Amino acid sequence: MRAARYHGPGDIRIESVDEPTLDSPKGAIVRVTHTAICGSDLWFYRGESDRDVPSRVGHEPMGIVEDVSDDVVSVEPGDRVFAPFFISCGRCEFCRKGLHTSCVNSGSWSGANGGAQGEYVHCPEADGTLIRVPDRHADDEETLRSILPLTDVMATGHHAAVSAGVEAGSSCAVVGDGAVGLCGVLAAKRLGAERIIAIGHHEDRLDIAEEFGATDRVSERGEAAVDRVREITNGGVNHVLECVGATSSMETAHEVCRPGGTVGYVGVPHGMGEGLDLEPFFRGNITLNGGVAPVRAYAEELLADVLQGTLDPSPIFTKTVDLDGVPEGYAAMDDREAIKVLVKP
């Protein structure tokens, strides 16, 4: 089959690789019809995180089940499915408590499982990982485009909002205007937040934030952004969604959070140097809550809202490419020319 492989910073190639095989008793082979390039993919693309060279890439698969092992009961060949960025079994201690990202049988989509930015993937834990799309929606391209963000960024934004304690009537701030931050705005709106302040540096992205439900937009940088949020909220908000993962974004998060408030963090940590200074959180009795999003735990409730037409994160896709266009897609996201790239192998 053909798949995208990483060959070093700035070097993504579409190459012929071995097709994954059905080698697990609970597994499935999925033909990928839709996938995406993630903001977290840019860290290895920019050389800011380590990755094997060469290695297959991609972790947001949607497609058609081609084959299943005898023990699989939840899906069958021909089903349309999507999957979280983590493979999980659904039966261990952590899956049962909704923490699928700590599954003792977890796996990734790269390596022998194929890489989701390719033509096929192998899922060794089909029943615990794959989510079936009802037949009546299985070929509706508009609906599928709205479902695809549930593999990662929409569920991650939702995790930020839940971790921050957002509920009906809340006032909150969202730090970051990437795909996760924009989905955080959408999630806060879905949970009933009354005031949502989007903090970012790109006016076109803040336009989407407003479309998603942001009531205020703050485009200033650094301390100017903090001063602006404090000014319009009379001292800050009780709920902050940190959707970047950088030292500067975490500092902004605690500086716009009122004493006694909560920061829900989902940004992949990077650039932390010697670590995060917890003193401001300590002094302000600010709760820090979050981590890597257990996408599988949120999948059904978010899917239900997409299917009934009350949730649509698809505007985050501002560029669509085929498999040969994946290298171009990485470059577009790296250059901030695209928010998130949809890939249709």
Side-chain angles (χ1 to χ4, degrees):
M1 72 171 192
R2 299 169 71 239
R5 290 209 297 178
Y6 170 73
H7 281 269
D11 188 359
I12 301 291
R13 306 177 195 174
I14 307 304
E15 299 178 322
S16 179
V17 299
D18 291 337
E19 190 173 310
T21 57
L22 193 61
D23 60 1
S24 58
K26 301 179 182 297
I29 297 294
V30 177
R31 174 173 56 85
V32 179
T33 60
H34 301 70
T35 186
I37 301 172
C38 183
S40 64
D41 293 332
L42 296 180
W43 299 120
F44 63 76
Y45 182 76
R46 293 168 175 164
E48 296 180 11
S49 64
D50 294 331
R51 191 178 185 94
D52 290 342
V53 176
S55 60
R56 303 185 197 184
V57 293
H59 56 258
E60 301 164 282
M62 172 189 285
I64 304 295
V65 176
E66 293 282 305
D67 196 9
V68 297
S69 299
D70 291 341
D71 292 349
V72 174
V73 298
S74 62
V75 296
E76 59 186 28
D79 284 347
R80 168 81 63 180
V81 295
F82 68 98
F85 57 80
F86 263 85
I87 294 168
S88 56
C89 69
R91 59 186 182 274
C92 73
E93 170 193 355
F94 300 107
C95 287
R96 292 198 305 270
K97 66 167 57 174
L99 200 60
H100 298 76
T101 47
S102 295
C103 174
V104 299
N105 299 300
S106 67
S108 74
W109 294 107
S110 57
N113 288 328
Q117 290 167 16
E119 294 179 321
Y120 292 90
V121 290
H122 168 241
C123 179
E125 294 284 354
D127 289 333
T129 304
L130 302 179
I131 302 101
R132 184 176 176 274
V133 177
D135 289 343
R136 65 184 181 276
H137 300 285
D139 297 311
D140 184 335
E141 186 62 34
E142 186 175 340
T143 300
L144 297 178
R145 187 181 178 95
S146 299
I147 292 173
L148 185 59
L150 274 55
T151 61
D152 188 341
V153 290
M154 183 63 232
T156 298
H158 179 66
H159 188 53
V162 170
S163 298
V166 175
E167 57 187 5
S170 295
S171 291
C172 65
V174 180
V175 181
D177 59 7
V180 172
L182 294 175
C183 288
V185 170
L186 196 55
K189 180 68 174 179
R190 176 181 176 273
L191 292 173
E194 186 173 290
R195 188 173 194 183
I196 305 169
I197 302 166
I199 304 172
H201 306 319
H202 306 87
E203 295 298 339
D204 58 334
R205 299 181 180 211
L206 292 175
D207 288 342
I208 295 176
E210 285 193 359
E211 178 185 340
F212 280 177
T215 56
D216 303 84
R217 53 197 288 168
V218 173
S219 57
E220 291 87 349
R221 295 175 180 267
E223 286 303 316
V226 172
D227 292 343
R228 178 60 178 154
V229 174
R230 287 177 174 173
E231 176 188 355
I232 63 178
T233 60
N234 193 29
V237 295
N238 286 315
H239 312 278
V240 183
L241 288 66
E242 194 286 314
C243 299
V244 180
T247 302
S248 58
S249 60
M250 193 65 82
E251 290 172 347
T252 297
H254 76 66
E255 287 175 344
V256 301
C257 190
R258 298 180 78 87
T262 302
V263 172
Y265 73 104
V266 296
V268 179
H270 59 273
M272 290 289 181
E274 296 180 357
L276 177 66
D277 182 6
L278 292 178
E279 183 181 356
F281 292 89
F282 178 79
R283 285 188 286 103
N285 279 283
I286 294 172
T287 299
L288 184 60
N289 188 31
V292 58
V295 174
R296 189 63 183 82
Y298 300 131
E300 273 84 7
E301 63 173 296
L302 296 177
L303 176 61
D305 280 7
V306 170
L307 297 184
Q308 70 182 5
T310 58
L311 178 65
D312 180 15
S314 65
I316 62 172
F317 293 118
T318 57
K319 185 177 180 67
T320 301
V321 299
D322 60 11
L323 190 58
D324 287 323
V326 168
E328 174 192 345
Y330 271 83
M333 287 182 61
D334 187 38
D335 292 336
R336 297 290 194 271
E337 294 175 357
I339 297 174
K340 189 170 180 67
V341 174
L342 188 153
V343 181
K344 299 179 70 174

